[in-house]
Amino acid sequence: MAIATNNPNLRSYAKALTELERAGSKATDAQVLAVLLARDAVRQDHDGAAGRSQTDSGGRSQADLLQLIKLDQKLRSLAGSMTRIAPLSDWRVSLNPPETDWWWFLEAPTHQLDRFDWLWNALTVTSLTASASLVIDMGSKFLTGGPGVFGSFAVISQSLITLATAGGVLTDAGRRSIDQMLCSMGLRRYYWQETKFGLSLILLMILVGFRTSLPMISERLSQQGSQALAEGDLSDARNELQRAISLDDGNLAAHNALGQVFETFQQPAEAMDEYHIALKGGYLPAYNGLARIHIQNEDYAKAAALLNTALARPDEELIASRPQVNAELLTNLGWARLRQGRLAEAQDHLAQSLQIQQQSLNQDTPPQTNLLGTTYCLLAKTVEQETTVETALPIWQSCLEYAQPTDPLSDGWIGEANERLGE
């Protein structure tokens, strides 16, 4: 902006305005400060000339005054970009200019969309509050049973994302950083609050999406816990299964497996609680765990009633739940009938169980080795009581072959088998 004046301060003021206008969105703090300081110099020049009455209007020509008015109009038109570029409020704190120096107190022109900033700010705070609540809720779920590598990563990553977003929107330093980013992107100022709400909403949607994926994560943890149980790592199994249940209380397989862990730990009351939860959800294998505890508590009638109820379920449910469930139900029912002295029924149920397990062998489906050993041992005891010891010897041999020494019940039967076979 070239002007016709001999006043050096006016010329410097015009030059600074021109450079700021040309820089546009790439303008810097230094260029904004140069304009404000140049305007300070014009004011100081005016104050110095005010004491002298050499010309009209305090020592300056009317032409210079008209030029100053035009330059000030230009300065006001650049107020929006200047407030986006420079933290004028911080500068006012540091430099403490008088209120009469209006150029230090420039405000961006109000856009009609700015009338709704209060609404966007309220929605932003609401979204961030909901996000923080989700992080706290999911963090407590993941930390159940010990943090674990995946759990720690999930909690830390979610917390960092939430803190970064909340800090960017709610703190002064964060707001300035986001404002500078939005300014560098060329986004109009009157869209800034809407954009900040959009960022908080995206964060909330990400967390909600992660929250809905918890059942899948729970299933994975349940599988890991069941694998640890099969390998005899009871402590790890318990931690994984408790974490799986915390993520999804409706994970019936995890409840059932945790019941098996408690049963192995000789905690029948806790095991029964878990089996009852799985049973109420219709999880068929839970009948076996609950019936097994009833048998050990010598409540054979209750165990038999549970097992008969399960066996009355449609065959497709038995097949769909697990290949060996039907065989396990029959083995436990045979066990209950043996304890009741109903030997013929016991032998029939145990023989049916062995038949199902033999079919699994023929179909190259590995049976549950411990179940196979348990079934043979129970059948040997049944045949021995119903006929003679000699008749049961081949079955005692199979009992010895398949029974697992790590199982407390099987350990006792192994001793009986060795005694019968003279080993």
Side-chain angles (χ1 to χ4, degrees):
M1 179 185 295
I3 62 172
T5 180
N6 293 324
N7 189 307
N9 290 321
L10 276 179
R11 296 180 71 85
S12 297
Y13 182 29
K15 180 180 178 182
L17 281 171
T18 301
E19 292 177 352
L20 178 64
E21 187 176 19
R22 286 177 179 173
S25 62
K26 296 181 179 180
T28 63
D29 288 5
Q31 289 175 310
V32 174
L33 183 61
V35 170
L36 299 177
L37 293 177
R39 186 61 180 84
D40 279 350
V42 173
R43 189 258 305 156
Q44 292 168 2
D45 180 47
H46 173 75
D47 291 345
R52 303 188 302 270
S53 56
Q54 299 173 354
T55 64
D56 294 338
S57 303
R60 285 187 298 182
S61 67
Q62 292 183 357
D64 284 351
L65 291 176
L66 289 174
Q67 292 288 354
L68 176 60
I69 291 171
K70 290 180 180 180
L71 292 174
D72 283 347
Q73 289 174 342
K74 173 60 66 176
L75 175 59
R76 290 188 179 92
S77 71
L78 296 174
S81 60
M82 292 174 66
T83 54
R84 287 196 299 270
I85 296 166
L88 296 185
S89 59
D90 292 345
W91 291 2
R92 288 194 294 270
V93 172
S94 299
L95 302 177
N96 195 26
E99 292 186 5
T100 52
D101 289 358
W102 55 265
W103 47 93
W104 289 98
F105 299 87
L106 290 173
E107 297 290 344
T110 302
H111 192 274
Q112 59 181 354
L113 293 178
D114 291 338
R115 294 178 298 171
F116 302 100
D117 282 354
W118 64 272
L119 174 62
W120 300 119
N121 289 333
L123 291 174
T124 299
V125 172
T126 302
S127 296
L128 290 174
T129 302
S131 297
S133 299
L134 281 173
V135 169
I136 294 171
D137 176 62
M138 289 188 289
S140 64
K141 293 179 182 294
F142 275 106
L143 295 177
T144 298
V149 176
F150 178 76
S152 299
F153 173 77
V155 172
I156 293 172
S157 60
Q158 292 174 67
S159 301
L160 288 177
I161 293 172
T162 303
L163 288 173
T165 306
V169 175
L170 300 179
T171 65
D172 290 337
R175 281 197 298 270
R176 285 197 297 271
S177 298
I178 290 184
D179 289 349
Q180 291 176 357
M181 179 189 71
L182 296 177
C183 179
S184 65
M185 293 170 59
L187 188 67
R188 300 287 185 182
R189 188 180 183 87
Y190 44 81
Y191 289 130
W192 286 9
Q193 304 308 319
E194 292 89 332
T195 302
K196 293 174 184 177
F197 167 64
L199 292 173
S200 67
L201 186 60
I202 290 173
L203 171 65
L204 180 59
M205 292 175 65
I206 291 173
L207 292 174
V208 169
F210 190 79
R211 179 67 176 79
T212 58
S213 70
L214 292 186
M216 291 185 292
I217 300 174
S218 172
E219 179 61 29
R220 176 60 179 166
L221 292 173
S222 179
Q223 293 173 359
Q224 293 176 356
S226 297
Q227 180 64 31
L229 174 61
E231 294 172 355
D233 189 352
L234 299 179
S235 179
D236 189 51
R238 180 179 56 189
N239 291 339
E240 294 291 341
L241 293 168
Q242 287 178 334
R243 193 178 298 119
I245 292 170
S246 178
L247 295 179
D248 180 17
D249 189 55
N251 190 332
L252 303 180
H255 279 291
N256 185 71
L258 184 58
Q260 292 176 313
V261 172
F262 283 132
E263 190 178 349
T264 307
F265 274 131
Q266 300 296 311
Q267 296 175 281
E270 290 82 354
M272 290 181 72
D273 289 340
E274 297 299 330
Y275 289 141
H276 274 299
I277 294 172
L279 202 61
K280 288 179 181 178
Y283 190 70
L284 195 61
Y287 283 92
N288 278 311
L290 199 55
R292 191 165 51 246
I293 294 177
H294 285 316
I295 292 172
Q296 294 179 55
N297 290 339
E298 299 183 0
D299 197 344
Y300 310 125
K302 186 177 287 187
L306 275 172
L307 295 165
N308 279 320
T309 299
L311 287 166
R313 300 269 289 270
D315 289 342
E316 56 268 21
E317 288 194 43
L318 297 173
I319 296 171
S321 60
R322 203 166 62 192
Q324 295 287 315
V325 172
N326 201 0
E328 191 172 356
L329 290 168
L330 288 167
T331 293
N332 286 326
L333 184 55
W335 187 10
R337 293 310 187 200
L338 171 63
R339 291 293 182 87
Q340 289 177 314
R342 297 163 64 168
L343 301 178
E345 293 177 56
Q347 185 172 350
D348 181 56
H349 295 317
L350 294 167
Q352 289 183 56
S353 176
L354 284 174
Q355 184 180 6
I356 293 173
Q357 295 180 68
Q358 188 61 46
Q359 288 176 351
S360 296
L361 285 172
N362 295 337
Q363 295 170 1
D364 294 329
T365 302
Q368 296 179 47
T369 306
N370 195 48
L371 176 62
L372 193 58
T374 298
T375 308
Y376 272 120
C377 293
L378 289 170
L379 183 59
K381 291 173 69 69
T382 303
V383 171
E384 180 179 286
Q385 291 184 38
E386 196 172 21
T387 59
T388 63
V389 174
E390 289 74 16
T391 306
L393 287 179
I395 308 174
W396 278 117
Q397 183 64 50
S398 297
C399 166
L400 192 60
E401 180 180 353
Y402 291 105
Q404 300 294 304
T406 55
D407 179 58
L409 290 172
S410 297
D411 184 64
W413 294 330
I414 290 172
E416 289 187 58
N418 286 324
E419 184 181 339
R420 298 297 188 278
L421 296 168
E423 298 182 4

